[in-house]
Amino acid sequence: MAGGVYVLDDYYLAITLLVTVAYQLFFFSIAFSFKFDKLTDFAGGTNFVILAILTLALSRNPDARQIVASVFIMTWGLRLSLFLLFRVLKTGKDDRFDNKRDKFFPFLGFWVFQMLWVWTCSLPVTVLNSPAVQQYSPQASFGTGRDIAGVVLFAIGFIMETVSDVQRFVFRSRNDKSAICDSGFFSWSRHPNYFGEIIIQFSIYMICVSAATDGPVGGQAFKALYATILGPFFLTILLMFVSGLPLSERPGAKKRYENGLNWEAYQRYLNRTSILIPFPPQVYERIPTIIKRTVFLEFPMYVFDPAKHSDVAKNQQPADGEQHRNSATRERQSGEPLRESV
């Protein structure tokens, strides 16, 4: 088939899945055998780079759109993996695996989920570089309105994620656990790094799908390119309902409340700062709760209510003796959630 090397199927789905499984199992064997989890996130991020290089090379004569989309996902994956590797080397361990590190199947379960994350989020670039899409020629020249919008959004998302990651790391290294990171991007969003990451994935999809929207790609390849929106949607669902906000919002607020870590100041931060979508804090704190819980994605599942979710007895004060009045508790119910040790 013209336009690329045929390997197992026309869309490179099988070869990328096999490479991902093998790559992750290799690092899993090291991590489990030596109880060494410092390479876990590094294995995830660099897997994106490997898949992009592989499919780009197999396409033989990549065009500008393929190169841009592939370089974007490689840049994102490499930056993410190197930052997370640096962070875990500094902190010494990854707390996520404290109750899994010695248990084969629970620990393997995380790696299997990482395989799914890498393979699914790589779909837009994988399919764009595949023979099924590249057989249609000539492809539309790079530079359509959708391409430009994708490049701009990628730049915004990449800057937001990179800067907020560094800002939070530096803040935590210079302050104790009671301090609140409420400056820079964190003054407009409690999770600017997540928001940036979501934008990045949708921007890459926009560039990839231009081959179908503005080019000659048709038939099943046309449908396949559009179907790769599964990648950015999967990442969004992951961050919003599985491993991102659910693990940082309510649990983080609970920890602050019960340990007396500047809870009242943090409560005010929650009330004035959007959970995900960046928004001026002066305006956000005046927005009705119903709007926060819908338009701004401040779902009830993220909200910490001391009366319902705290293990501290109602007549018992938090650890440092801070005063928590019943009125403050009621106010928190209509306020916002939390961010993991912001």
Side-chain angles (χ1 to χ4, degrees), residues 231-250:
F233 270 126
F234 179 81
L235 177 78
T236 302
I237 293 171
L238 183 67
L239 291 177
M240 291 190 64
F241 302 108
V242 183
S243 67
L245 301 182
L247 297 184
S248 59
E249 282 294 313
R250 183 179 292 174

Side-chain angles (χ1 to χ4, degrees), residues 21-331:
V21 171
Y23 191 72
Q24 295 302 315
L25 286 179
F26 170 74
F27 279 101
F28 165 74
S29 64
I30 296 175
F32 184 75
S33 299
F34 298 99
K35 303 299 180 283
F36 183 77
D37 49 36
K38 293 181 174 62
L39 294 178
T40 304
D41 289 317
F42 179 80
T46 53
N47 204 154
F48 285 98
V49 179
I50 289 175
L51 295 188
I53 292 176
L54 173 65
T55 57
L56 192 65
L58 289 175
S59 67
R60 286 183 178 165
N61 299 304
D63 57 29
R65 181 172 291 106
Q66 289 177 265
I67 294 173
V68 170
S70 299
V71 167
F72 277 3
I73 200 167
M74 286 189 283
T75 301
W76 168 74
L78 187 60
R79 186 217 67 90
L80 182 65
S81 60
L82 291 177
F83 170 75
L84 294 177
L85 176 63
F86 170 78
R87 189 179 68 179
V88 76
L89 289 175
K90 284 290 187 179
T91 57
K93 69 170 185 174
D94 193 329
D95 295 336
R96 292 175 299 173
F97 306 115
D98 285 348
N99 62 343
K100 296 184 179 72
R101 201 174 287 111
D102 298 321
K103 301 174 183 176
F104 182 85
F105 287 108
F107 195 43
L108 177 61
F110 172 86
W111 288 84
V112 170
F113 197 80
Q114 183 155 276
M115 296 174 196
L116 182 62
W117 169 59
V118 172
W119 185 79
T120 305
C121 292
S122 293
L123 282 176
V125 172
T126 296
V127 173
L128 175 67
N129 290 339
S130 71
V133 170
Q134 293 307 309
Q135 69 173 319
Y136 293 93
S137 61
Q139 293 279 324
S141 298
F142 180 79
T144 67
R146 187 172 283 97
D147 291 329
I148 301 304
V151 171
V152 172
L153 286 175
F154 178 85
I156 293 172
F158 190 78
I159 291 172
M160 180 170 288
E161 183 180 24
T162 302
V163 172
S164 58
D165 276 345
V166 173
Q167 180 187 4
R168 183 175 57 180
F169 179 81
V170 171
F171 181 87
R172 288 179 175 176
S173 64
R174 294 177 178 176
N175 297 274
D176 61 29
K177 293 182 178 181
S178 66
I180 301 170
C181 182
D182 59 357
S183 60
F185 285 130
F186 288 96
S187 66
W188 283 50
S189 169
R190 302 208 295 277
H191 299 273
N193 52 333
Y194 292 166
F195 184 76
E197 189 166 344
I198 291 171
I199 288 181
I200 286 172
Q201 295 302 318
F202 276 99
S203 70
I204 293 173
Y205 169 78
M206 288 178 65
I207 294 171
C208 293
V209 82
S210 289
T213 304
D214 303 306
V217 178
Q220 292 301 314
F222 181 94
K223 297 177 182 177
L225 267 177
Y226 271 97
T228 62
I229 198 171
L230 173 66
F233 270 126
F234 179 81
L235 177 78
T236 302
I237 293 171
L238 183 67
L239 291 177
M240 291 190 64
F241 302 108
V242 183
S243 67
L245 301 182
L247 297 184
S248 59
E249 282 294 313
R250 183 179 292 174
K254 184 174 186 286
K255 182 187 298 184
R256 278 188 175 270
Y257 177 80
E258 295 182 348
N259 295 326
L261 298 175
N262 204 10
W263 165 248
E264 292 187 354
Y266 190 69
Q267 187 177 18
R268 291 192 293 272
Y269 173 68
L270 297 176
N271 289 334
R272 70 173 183 268
T273 311
S274 171
I275 187 173
L276 186 66
I277 304 170
F279 205 75
Q282 300 87 347
V283 179
Y284 187 80
E285 66 180 344
R286 293 178 172 83
I287 292 177
T289 299
I290 186 63
I291 303 299
K292 292 181 179 180
R293 299 283 172 83
T294 53
V295 176
F296 287 92
L297 311 177
E298 189 83 28
F299 302 137
M301 64 180 289
Y302 305 134
V303 177
F304 172 71
D305 177 0
K308 296 179 180 178
H309 308 126
S310 175
D311 295 328
V312 177
K314 294 182 179 180
N315 60 349
Q316 181 181 348
Q317 297 296 332
D320 68 348
E322 282 188 19
Q323 298 300 313
H324 296 279
R325 306 175 186 82
N326 291 334
S327 59
T329 298
R330 289 192 296 271
E331 178 187 350

